[in-house]
């Protein structure tokens, strides 16, 4: 495994990914488990964020605690990434949010951007959220127009990734950190991850 790829190794995450893979999982369960996996990925991806000391007054005494040094931006790639946002915010409720809308053309698999509203990345830690990293085209297109060199760090949180998508994405963005719950076997001829979980956006949005 490439050193920038961090596989979330946790019994409950393995179980949750299995629920997500199951074609018979209801939309209610699917949404709940995407949120739960996103929460786990968020904990892992933020584990080493730099801290600075802060004085805090408890009911009993003054003590030194810790607060984050830098701002954090959680940016779902629409649509499907939106399903991960609440899980990230469960872990860091005051994160700044940004939004990037990408849609894969079903014929060419080429993504096109349809929405963007994201604040200044300067000195911020950017966490892009997208449950599926398939060809990597959507994530790469989303990052291409971002001034990533100004950010303190940039990471992608995905639930399932294909080896092809990881390789293409890290080839273009070698500083990116990828946090993922499962790395699957391959892509099929229409760019779906196998075994995967199907179309994450449709399953989350109940538009199957
Ligand atoms: C899906 C998924 C990713 C992308 C992954 O989005 O949510 O964004 O495909 O594939 P890639 O790595 O080959 O680009 P889709 O374009 O289906 O849009 P949606 O989220 O609106 O369903
Ligand atoms: N997008 C999805 O939602 N699923 C895949 O398997 C590939 C791209």
């Amino acid at each position: 495994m490439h050193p920038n790829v961090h596989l979330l190794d946790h019994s409950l995450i393995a179980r949750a990914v299995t629920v997500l893979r199951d074609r018979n999982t209801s939309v209610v369960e699917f949404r709940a488990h995407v949120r739960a996996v996103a929460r786990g990925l968020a904990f892992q991806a933020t584990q080493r964020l730099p801290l600075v000391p802060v004085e805090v007054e408890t009911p009993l005494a003054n003590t030194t605690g810790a607060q984050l040094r830098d701002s954090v931006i959680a940016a779902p790639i629409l649509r499907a990434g939106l399903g991960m946002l609440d899980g990230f915010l469960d872990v860091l409720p005051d994160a700044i949010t940004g939004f990037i809308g990408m849609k894969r053309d079903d014929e060419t698999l080429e993504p096109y951007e349809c929405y963007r509203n994201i604040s200044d990345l300067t000195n911020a830690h950017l966490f892009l959220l997208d449950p599926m990293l398939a060809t990597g085209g959507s994530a790469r297109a989303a990052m291409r127009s971002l001034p990533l060199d100004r950010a303190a760090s940039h990471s992608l949180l995905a639930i399932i990734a294909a080896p092809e998508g990881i390789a293409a994405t890290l080839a273009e963005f070698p500083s990116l950190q990828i946090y993922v719950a499962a790395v699957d076997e391959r892509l099929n001829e229409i760019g779906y991850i196998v075994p995967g979980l199907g179309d994450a956006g449709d399953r989350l949005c109940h538009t199957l």
Side-chain angles (χ1 to χ4, degrees):
M1 191 82 83
H2 190 288
N4 289 23
V5 179
H6 311 275
L7 185 64
L8 188 49
D9 180 19
H10 194 295
S11 300
L12 297 186
I13 297 295
R15 174 182 169 272
V17 170
T18 305
V19 172
L20 293 174
R21 291 191 191 282
D22 188 340
R23 65 185 309 154
N24 295 312
T25 293
S26 70
V27 62
V28 173
E29 284 292 293
F30 194 86
R31 287 173 175 159
H33 284 79
V34 166
R35 180 173 178 157
V37 175
R39 201 179 296 150
L41 289 167
F43 267 117
Q44 193 190 22
T46 55
Q47 188 177 12
R48 309 238 177 271
L49 285 180
L51 297 171
V52 289
V54 61
E55 292 307 307
V56 60
E57 187 181 343
T58 81
L60 302 179
N62 291 339
T63 188
T64 304
Q67 66 181 17
L68 292 179
R69 189 191 64 188
D70 311 311
S71 57
V72 168
I73 301 175
I77 299 177
L78 312 183
R79 287 180 303 177
L82 262 185
M84 299 174 71
L85 182 59
D86 281 345
F88 193 97
L89 295 178
D90 288 340
V91 170
L92 193 56
D94 60 343
I96 299 165
T97 53
F99 300 89
I100 303 171
M102 302 297 309
K103 182 78 191 108
R104 267 196 344 175
D105 183 290
D106 288 338
E107 303 286 314
T108 65
L109 302 186
E110 283 303 313
Y112 56 91
E113 184 172 317
C114 42
Y115 184 75
R116 176 173 298 248
N117 190 339
I118 186 162
S119 53
D120 184 11
L121 300 187
T122 306
N123 298 329
H125 297 276
L126 173 67
F127 295 92
L128 291 164
L129 312 176
D130 192 333
M132 308 304 275
L133 182 66
T135 65
S138 303
R140 283 180 284 137
M143 287 190 285
R144 234 167 251 147
S145 45
L146 290 172
L148 295 175
D149 52 328
R150 289 196 213 143
S153 69
H154 51 286
S155 305
L156 171 68
L157 278 54
I159 295 180
I160 299 183
E164 298 92 325
I166 291 174
T169 305
L170 289 177
E172 186 172 346
F173 297 95
S175 305
L176 179 73
Q177 302 295 320
I178 299 178
Y179 295 86
V180 66
V183 178
D184 276 6
E185 289 164 31
R186 62 183 172 87
L187 293 178
N188 70 9
E189 58 288 348
I190 53 168
Y192 274 79
I193 301 175
V194 180
L197 52 71
D199 190 309
D202 277 339
R203 293 190 70 180
L204 275 164
C205 298
H206 206 177
T207 50
L208 280 174

